[in-house]
Amino acid sequence: MKGQLTMPRIFLLTLLLIGSLMLPACSKPESAAPTASKLQVVTSLFPLYDFVRQIGGDQVEVTLLLPPGVEAHSFDPKPDDILRVNRAGLFIFTHKAMEVWAATIAQSVDPARVTIVDASVGTQLRQSSGHADEHGAHGHTANAAAIDPHLWLDFANAQVMVENIAQAMARKDPAQRDLYLRNAAAYLARLDALDAAYRTALALCKQRTLLQGGHFALGYLTARYDLKYHAAAAVNPEAEPTAATMAALVQQMRRNNLHYLFSEELVSPKLAETIAKEAGGSVLLLSAAHNVSKTDFERGITFVEIMERNLKNLQIGLECR
Amino acid sequence: MPFFEILGYGFIQRALIAGTLIGLLCALLGIFLVLRRFSLIGDGLAHFTFGSVALVLLCGVSATWVTYAAIPLVLIGALGILKLTSSARIHGDTAIGIVSALGIALGVILASLSGGYNVDLFSYLFGNILIISRNDVLLTAALAIVVVAVVALRGRAFFAVAFDEDLARTSGINTGRANIILVLLTALTVVLAMKLVGIMLVSALLILPPVAALQLGRGFLPTLLLAAACGILSVLSGILASFALNLPTGGTIIVASFLLFVVAALVGRWRRG
Amino acid sequence: MPMILLQAEELHIAYGSTDILRDISFQVRTGDYLGIVGPNGSGKSTLIRAMLGLVPATSGAVRLLGQPLAQFSDWQKIGYLPQRLSFANPHFPATVEEIVRLGFIDKHGPKRRIDASEARHLEEILTRMGIIDLRQQLIGHLSGGQQQRALLARALVGRPALLLLDEPTTALDPETREDFYAIVKELNRELGTAIVLITHDTWNIGQYAKRFVYLDKTVIFDGTFAEFCASAEMTSFFGEHSNKTIYHHHGEHC
């Protein structure tokens, strides 16, 4: 019986394993004690996090709840996260369709202390067709009324969100009101410039159809710049593409002589690769910006940088001049 | 899209080949697992894979290889289930429940401790039979050859162990080794099949075709062959039906294997009178 | 001198600090018919399982056919009929013939193929057990008595020198029980097959067994029928009316 993995040994091993992982996590200084004077903001998703950062500069402490690389729909908040929201001055989330858990957290806080901000107020929401076709000409299914939650990909929406956030921050922290509004105005101009760059660059493309070998996430973007959009699967990440949808994408690539298929960053590119390979093309990455990789996050990537990177790949993929 | 045209696509052909092999693999192992009351081991091991993948990702293994890098850990998990069952007063299903819950818990804790990943963990864990690569097909074929060979050579011993472990031991069978071989092959199959067809499909394919065969089988060898046939038939009819009806393939395969089970149960009842 | 088939030497078995069996030493030789009796919880089943290596001994040794258990591999020579089968599934996909065939054993376990003479022997055994017509039936569909015969057939088909029976007749009606004992007796008489029988079946035991072990965690008595009748242990086991309970094979009773 020597050398066998007995139960006590397995448990011991597991405990050691957990312990060794927990030690560094516990001893890590929690980014010092939050400075009492600064406004504490907690955001659910990356775009909101970056907007707050752009508006508040170093006058706010902003925290992103969703860890890098974790799927927004399936995130499970830790006790620490709830605590952080309860200690914050502002808690900002996108839309209850995107982060169901954020709405749950929002209900649990003391409204006198923490101001809850629904950043989507006043934005233009798109219905996400149940089927992966942008114009929804065919395939409106039972869940056709569902809302596509990637609303920041329409830069006009992004601007409304920035304004909502700036107003909320100004109300919560009147001392810095001028700074917030000034920064917000500058950032709105950045978004205008970004919008103009997209409009110019995408006006002169050989291809007008964006094919995505994954989930339908870029509907706001394609609608704004008048592109056609076909994705292999619906907006909901749990939905599976059917063989016919995949075959249709392959045919479309072949028929229109398309060389590139787009895939979402972070998500496994296997589906897109399978379709692209079948049609003799290759895969380009796009980000819907709701989440970023750990590496990018630690590097301090911004929403605008992500969208500029997207534009470069769009120009390649759509064969723009 | 015309039905026959769709068969011309490479990804469809790979799905049909890999599906046939996985159906065969799962049925051959599943019949012994069901008889040993280990039916849920597929589910348990799949959950344990989740924890293992989280750990492997934490060690910085690249996303393409995580599932394969997690294999040694899953094998240990399988042995853990076996050890729990043979020690103490713990039944197979309870042991599976323990290891399964432990796997999920470790995965959740590790994912949280790591402070995030560079990829979406879930999208790498949950596969789709339509996006199988050539290498995956080859790997599945290799495992299928091993499993068929083991069942051909040692099937009688597995059968004796499933019938009665004490009698098997007094027939000179090393029952400990037979059990280890069975769970290790199952663990390999689960990891591979999960990557290819998703977590729910593995479990269903390990259970439904063998149980369908048990409704009809008159003896051990006929039941084994019938289970293999049911496994292959479920997957093939599921894939083809999903093309014809434009439905998600994974779910359709499960429904197909369930329908096959219902038919088998009805025929079995009718034959018994 | 008949060959020693089974030998226990100072066998001791404990779970944690609880003794299950202690200081067990006895032998079984060719032609023996040994009845093991004792109260509930006296360790009878544990003893038989320890003899087969199914329960590890805490100390002491068991030899089967002269070999220590760890080296023993000639399992075809040993026939075992457990008290209860672990299979409880009435649809267990095995026919009577498939189960009986598992009794043909080589050094790897049950044989994958059997030759013509073995096939003939299989037929003989099935016929002798009266289950030849049931050979294609699922084992789980048989009655308790038929199942017991099928399992006895499995134990016998390899022509064992030693047959270990753990309360084989508890599930049987009196008539089937008589039948079962008659078959075992015949084996013992005609082929010299050594029998070790654990039983509660006090009516029959004296009728068939030649020798008794009275077990209560240790061997309290080991001897012939006549000696057993005269012993105090017998009275303690069978009570005051033991003279009406236990019969010798020649029809006399204590």
Side-chain angles (χ1 to χ4, degrees):
Chain A
M1 294 288 173
K2 248 181 273 170
Q4 261 190 347
L5 264 178
T6 59
M7 268 334 283
R9 263 183 246 177
I10 289 179
F11 277 124
L12 206 67
L13 232 118
T14 322
L15 279 181
L16 273 176
L17 212 133
I18 298 172
S20 61
L21 288 165
M22 252 152 149
L23 273 178
C26 295
S27 55
K28 191 166 60 189
E30 272 293 325
S31 60
T35 332
S37 59
K38 280 188 185 177
L39 176 61
Q40 306 285 315
V41 184
V42 175
T43 67
S44 56
L45 300 186
F46 179 77
L48 305 173
Y49 169 82
D50 191 44
F51 294 163
V52 173
R53 208 164 45 171
Q54 302 298 334
I55 296 167
D58 48 13
Q59 290 306 309
V60 295
E61 295 264 349
V62 55
T63 318
L64 175 60
L65 274 193
L66 187 73
V70 173
E71 169 57 46
H73 296 76
S74 51
F75 173 61
D76 186 16
K78 294 192 298 269
D80 194 33
D81 297 328
I82 312 272
L83 199 66
R84 208 172 276 165
V85 174
N86 275 284
R87 283 198 188 133
L90 284 179
F91 173 56
I92 308 173
F93 70 100
T94 323
H95 190 272
K96 57 184 188 304
M98 186 73 180
E99 315 109 314
V100 181
W101 44 272
T104 321
I105 295 182
Q107 278 165 9
S108 73
V109 299
D110 173 9
R113 231 187 98 96
V114 187
T115 309
I116 310 293
V117 182
D118 177 350
S120 71
V121 173
T123 53
Q124 296 290 316
L125 295 179
R126 284 184 77 262
Q127 311 268 296
S128 73
S129 52
H131 252 267
D133 188 85
E134 196 257 333
H135 295 291
H138 46 268
H140 263 285
T141 53
N143 59 351
I147 282 169
D148 179 352
H150 306 86
L151 50 133
W152 54 84
L153 291 176
D154 182 325
F155 297 139
N157 278 341
Q159 288 180 324
V160 174
M161 294 165 81
V162 169
E163 282 177 62
N164 286 341
I165 293 169
Q167 290 300 332
M169 286 168 70
R171 269 198 301 278
K172 194 77 187 178
D173 184 18
Q176 301 293 340
R177 183 188 161 84
D178 289 347
L179 173 81
Y180 294 156
L181 295 183
R182 203 166 54 241
N183 282 347
Y187 191 60
L188 290 177
R190 269 307 297 268
L191 290 174
D192 272 334
L194 185 65
D195 184 39
Y198 262 75
R199 207 168 282 286
T200 323
L202 297 179
L204 299 166
C205 301
K206 209 172 122 197
Q207 309 290 351
R208 301 283 332 152
T209 305
L210 194 154
L211 293 184
Q212 180 160 13
H215 296 287
F216 185 93
L218 302 171
Y220 285 97
L221 193 94
T222 52
R224 186 167 182 85
Y225 304 110
D226 202 24
L227 298 168
K228 283 187 185 151
Y229 184 32
H230 295 279
V235 123
N236 178 1
E238 277 85 41
E240 252 185 63
T242 66
T245 326
M246 288 174 66
L249 281 174
V250 173
Q251 278 199 333
Q252 216 168 348
M253 283 184 76
R254 284 187 188 149
R255 205 169 39 229
N256 302 332
N257 200 19
L258 297 176
H259 305 297
Y260 296 100
L261 187 69
F262 291 98
S263 175
E264 211 178 320
E265 275 181 25
L266 302 183
V267 173
S268 163
K270 250 185 120 176
L271 176 61
E273 277 167 3
T274 304
I275 297 170
K277 215 181 256 173
E278 189 80 32
S282 52
V283 171
L284 285 170
L285 294 182
L286 291 179
S287 168
H290 61 285
N291 200 351
V292 295
S293 76
K294 199 180 181 187
T295 321
D296 278 346
F297 185 75
E298 280 165 359
R299 235 187 33 190
I301 197 166
T302 67
F303 177 68
V304 171
E305 280 168 8
I306 292 173
M307 296 315 292
E308 283 168 352
R309 198 159 69 187
N310 281 346
L311 183 57
K312 278 208 190 89
N313 278 344
L314 282 169
Q315 282 178 288
I316 300 171
L318 299 176
E319 300 172 47
C320 309
R321 280 193 285 123
Chain B
M1 175 143 322
F3 186 74
F4 285 104
E5 193 188 320
I6 213 164
L7 298 178
Y9 288 93
F11 69 90
I12 301 283
Q13 293 158 3
R14 285 195 297 275
L16 288 171
I17 296 170
T20 305
L21 293 170
I22 290 170
L24 175 71
L25 267 172
C26 288
L28 285 181
L29 295 171
I31 186 89
F32 298 109
L33 297 171
V34 167
L35 291 176
R36 299 292 315 274
R37 291 161 196 274
F38 266 168
S39 340
L40 286 177
I41 199 170
D43 232 26
L45 286 176
H47 288 151
F48 195 78
T49 309
F50 170 74
S52 309
V53 165
L55 182 62
V56 171
L57 267 182
L58 207 63
C59 302
V61 174
S62 95
T64 327
W65 298 104
V66 275
T67 346
Y68 300 120
I71 285 178
L73 289 171
V74 183
L75 295 181
I76 290 173
L79 293 179
I81 289 175
L82 200 59
K83 190 75 198 169
L84 272 175
T85 343
S86 60
S87 73
R89 306 166 189 93
I90 298 175
H91 286 291
D93 52 352
T94 317
I96 290 164
I98 291 171
V99 170
S100 164
L102 187 71
I104 291 277
L106 278 181
V108 171
I109 292 175
L110 291 173
S112 156
L113 284 179
S114 71
Y117 294 117
N118 280 327
V119 295
D120 177 2
L121 175 61
F122 290 89
S123 75
Y124 280 86
L125 268 179
F126 302 119
N128 180 328
I129 198 163
L130 296 176
I131 57 172
I132 287 171
S133 70
R134 243 178 81 88
N135 284 343
D136 289 337
V137 177
L138 292 176
L139 217 55
T140 314
L143 185 58
I145 289 170
V146 171
V147 168
V148 168
V150 167
V151 171
L153 292 172
R154 303 298 294 156
R156 191 165 293 275
F158 287 162
F159 164 56
V161 175
F163 182 66
D164 186 276
E165 196 146 346
D166 283 354
L167 281 183
R169 275 170 75 181
T170 57
S171 307
I173 295 171
N174 187 335
T175 54
R177 197 171 57 198
N179 285 334
I180 287 172
I181 291 173
L182 184 62
V183 297
L184 290 186
L185 286 177
T186 306
L188 286 174
T189 303
V190 166
V191 172
L192 200 61
M194 192 179 82
K195 193 169 153 56
L196 302 189
V197 298
I199 190 168
M200 58 176 185
L201 197 54
V202 188
S203 190
L205 283 180
L206 279 171
I207 299 173
L208 282 171
V211 174
L214 284 176
Q215 307 301 312
L216 297 175
R218 279 290 164 90
F220 180 67
L221 195 61
T223 307
L224 187 68
L225 296 176
L226 208 57
C230 283
I232 293 172
L233 193 64
S234 301
V235 176
L236 287 185
S237 61
I239 293 179
L240 294 176
S242 85
F243 297 163
L245 306 171
N246 196 24
L247 295 170
T249 310
T252 314
I253 292 175
I254 298 178
V255 172
S257 58
F258 177 73
L259 290 178
L260 206 62
F261 159 71
V262 170
V263 170
L266 289 176
V267 172
R269 173 169 294 193
W270 170 73
R271 268 201 341 208
R272 282 194 296 273
Chain C
M1 190 72 184
M3 184 183 168
I4 298 175
L5 299 176
L6 173 66
Q7 189 170 21
E9 291 161 6
E10 319 230 321
L11 191 64
H12 188 101
I13 292 175
Y15 291 147
S17 57
T18 317
D19 280 356
I20 306 296
L21 293 170
R22 54 176 192 273
D23 285 335
I24 307 268
S25 299
F26 69 94
Q27 295 177 346
V28 176
R29 293 163 194 271
T30 312
D32 271 1
Y33 193 143
L34 175 67
I36 300 182
V37 294
N40 276 328
S42 58
K44 299 188 296 285
S45 279
T46 307
L47 177 59
I48 226 170
R49 288 164 53 77
M51 299 296 176
L52 294 163
L54 299 174
V55 175
T58 311
S59 65
V62 173
R63 287 169 168 272
L64 281 178
L65 277 58
Q67 281 190 314
L69 261 180
Q71 274 111 62
F72 183 75
S73 63
D74 203 3
W75 289 104
Q76 174 129 356
K77 295 264 171 56
I78 311 290
Y80 172 46
L81 194 56
Q83 183 175 11
R84 253 190 314 268
L85 287 175
S86 53
F87 93 97
N89 178 358
H91 301 305
F92 193 92
T95 61
V96 169
E97 183 169 342
E98 282 175 318
I99 293 298
V100 176
R101 262 198 59 170
L102 289 177
F104 291 109
I105 293 162
D106 60 19
K107 62 182 188 299
H108 301 296
K111 287 184 178 173
R112 289 175 61 209
R113 293 206 170 72
I114 55 172
D115 61 30
S117 79
E118 285 168 325
R120 268 197 309 279
H121 183 55
L122 176 68
E123 298 251 338
E124 273 170 37
I125 294 279
L126 289 173
T127 311
R128 183 139 160 226
M129 295 294 133
I131 49 174
I132 186 87
D133 296 334
L134 304 173
R135 64 198 296 178
Q136 296 305 329
Q137 295 281 316
L138 289 189
I139 182 97
H141 290 176
L142 306 188
S143 71
Q146 290 166 332
Q147 276 184 16
Q148 207 61 295
R149 282 156 177 267
L151 291 168
L152 183 62
R154 191 210 73 97
L156 296 180
V157 81
R159 297 190 169 90
L162 173 64
L163 195 55
L164 299 145
L165 310 169
D166 191 352
E167 301 204 25
T169 58
T170 26
L172 308 186
D173 58 68
E175 204 175 319
T176 327
R177 204 175 291 179
E178 286 296 327
D179 228 26
F180 184 89
Y181 282 125
I183 292 167
V184 173
K185 182 76 207 169
E186 197 182 309
L187 277 167
N188 178 249
R189 199 171 47 222
E190 287 177 8
L191 303 172
T193 310
I195 311 287
V196 175
L197 171 73
I198 289 184
T199 185
H200 268 124
D201 201 354
T202 52
W203 181 268
N204 284 297
I205 184 136
Q207 208 168 343
Y208 297 118
K210 297 172 184 165
R211 200 182 125 206
F212 291 89
V213 161
Y214 180 71
L215 192 76
D216 193 359
K217 298 203 189 295
T218 188
V219 177
I220 291 177
F221 175 88
D222 184 351
T224 62
F225 177 76
E227 290 162 352
F228 187 66
C229 282
S231 72
E233 288 75 24
M234 190 214 64
T235 320
S236 79
F237 181 51
F238 293 110
E240 302 270 322
H241 307 291
S242 56
N243 55 345
K244 291 203 170 78
T245 322
I246 191 161
Y247 286 85
H248 192 246
H249 51 289
H250 298 307
E252 29 186 300
H253 56 87
C254 291

